[in-house]
Amino acid sequence: MQIPSMGGTSLGPMLQKWALDAETIVELGTWLGAGTKQLASTCPGIVHTYDIFKIHGNEIDKAAAYGVTVTEGQDSLPLVKKMLSEFKNIRYYKGRICDHEWLGIPIDLYVDDACKYEPEFIGAIKKFSPYWIAGKTICVFMDYWWYLSRPNDERAKFQKNYISNKPESFEHIISDKHLGCAAFLYKGGLCV
């Protein structure tokens, strides 16, 4: 069964490349695990993935396009674990990201596909950025260009504006406006 994807499969080659040398990956926003699979397939360490694991809204139609049936309010964690059962290097964190404590381990690769708006984004930055490694950690922001699809939603620009205003901390690596994402090398400094 092909895992439904909102971009994780399309970004697969890049995610796999960045995961090759990663002992610790943090992924925010698992959905049904397409991106998680890409990360876990080459990561020699552990992928720590966070999600509420609850189906809602247009996710039903997005999954159906891949032949996967899910229902409103469904707990998706059992399905995700089943689809990713071949990978033993994934740790799942169910619930809101802010409800979990980080383990205090340095983070090699940080993939944010969940924190689109200011409160969640800043909360995640506060939690994880102290464990980013200057000159090594790759930060992938899956919603960096998301605002382009929502021209009337000023809040949708927050992620891009925040990162763009910190050139001392983030060195641009690659962008894909079609998929909405951008990746940066963390150069150091305080992020909040």
Side-chain angles (χ1 to χ4, degrees), residues 104-133:
I105 302 167
I107 299 167
D108 300 300
L109 178 58
Y110 179 82
V111 181
D112 184 347
D113 193 17
C115 304
K116 295 170 176 54
Y117 293 120
E118 182 176 358
E120 297 82 13
F121 184 79
I122 293 297
I125 293 287
K126 284 181 178 178
K127 180 183 298 286
F128 297 107
S129 68
Y131 303 98
W132 295 347
I133 307 157

Side-chain angles (χ1 to χ4, degrees), residues 81-148:
K81 285 183 172 180
K82 180 180 177 184
M83 289 193 287
L84 299 176
S85 62
E86 67 185 281
F87 301 103
K88 306 306 179 203
N89 61 337
I90 303 172
R91 303 295 175 269
Y92 301 93
Y93 301 84
K94 184 177 179 178
R96 297 179 326 147
I97 296 162
C98 64
D99 293 339
H100 298 278
E101 294 296 322
W102 178 236
L103 307 171
I105 302 167
I107 299 167
D108 300 300
L109 178 58
Y110 179 82
V111 181
D112 184 347
D113 193 17
C115 304
K116 295 170 176 54
Y117 293 120
E118 182 176 358
E120 297 82 13
F121 184 79
I122 293 297
I125 293 287
K126 284 181 178 178
K127 180 183 298 286
F128 297 107
S129 68
Y131 303 98
W132 295 347
I133 307 157
K136 182 175 181 184
T137 300
I138 302 291
C139 298
V140 182
F141 299 104
M142 302 290 273
D143 296 310
Y144 189 80
W145 298 105
W146 183 62
Y147 74 92
L148 295 174

Side-chain angles (χ1 to χ4, degrees), residues 9-142:
T9 301
S10 299
L11 294 170
M14 283 188 296
L15 294 175
Q16 289 173 7
K17 179 179 115 181
W18 292 325
L20 272 171
D21 298 319
E23 285 302 317
T24 304
I25 297 174
V26 168
E27 178 193 39
L28 308 179
T30 317
W31 190 44
L32 295 179
T36 315
K37 178 179 180 178
Q38 303 306 316
L39 296 167
S41 69
T42 60
C43 175
I46 303 295
V47 177
H48 300 267
T49 190
Y50 295 75
D51 203 288
I52 59 169
F53 293 105
K54 187 173 185 180
I55 299 297
H56 63 278
N58 65 358
E59 294 175 354
I60 297 167
D61 292 336
K62 288 180 179 183
Y66 288 85
V68 175
T69 302
V70 292
T71 58
E72 182 71 33
Q74 175 182 341
D75 177 355
S76 59
L77 185 55
L79 175 61
V80 171
K81 285 183 172 180
K82 180 180 177 184
M83 289 193 287
L84 299 176
S85 62
E86 67 185 281
F87 301 103
K88 306 306 179 203
N89 61 337
I90 303 172
R91 303 295 175 269
Y92 301 93
Y93 301 84
K94 184 177 179 178
R96 297 179 326 147
I97 296 162
C98 64
D99 293 339
H100 298 278
E101 294 296 322
W102 178 236
L103 307 171
I105 302 167
I107 299 167
D108 300 300
L109 178 58
Y110 179 82
V111 181
D112 184 347
D113 193 17
C115 304
K116 295 170 176 54
Y117 293 120
E118 182 176 358
E120 297 82 13
F121 184 79
I122 293 297
I125 293 287
K126 284 181 178 178
K127 180 183 298 286
F128 297 107
S129 68
Y131 303 98
W132 295 347
I133 307 157
K136 182 175 181 184
T137 300
I138 302 291
C139 298
V140 182
F141 299 104
M142 302 290 273

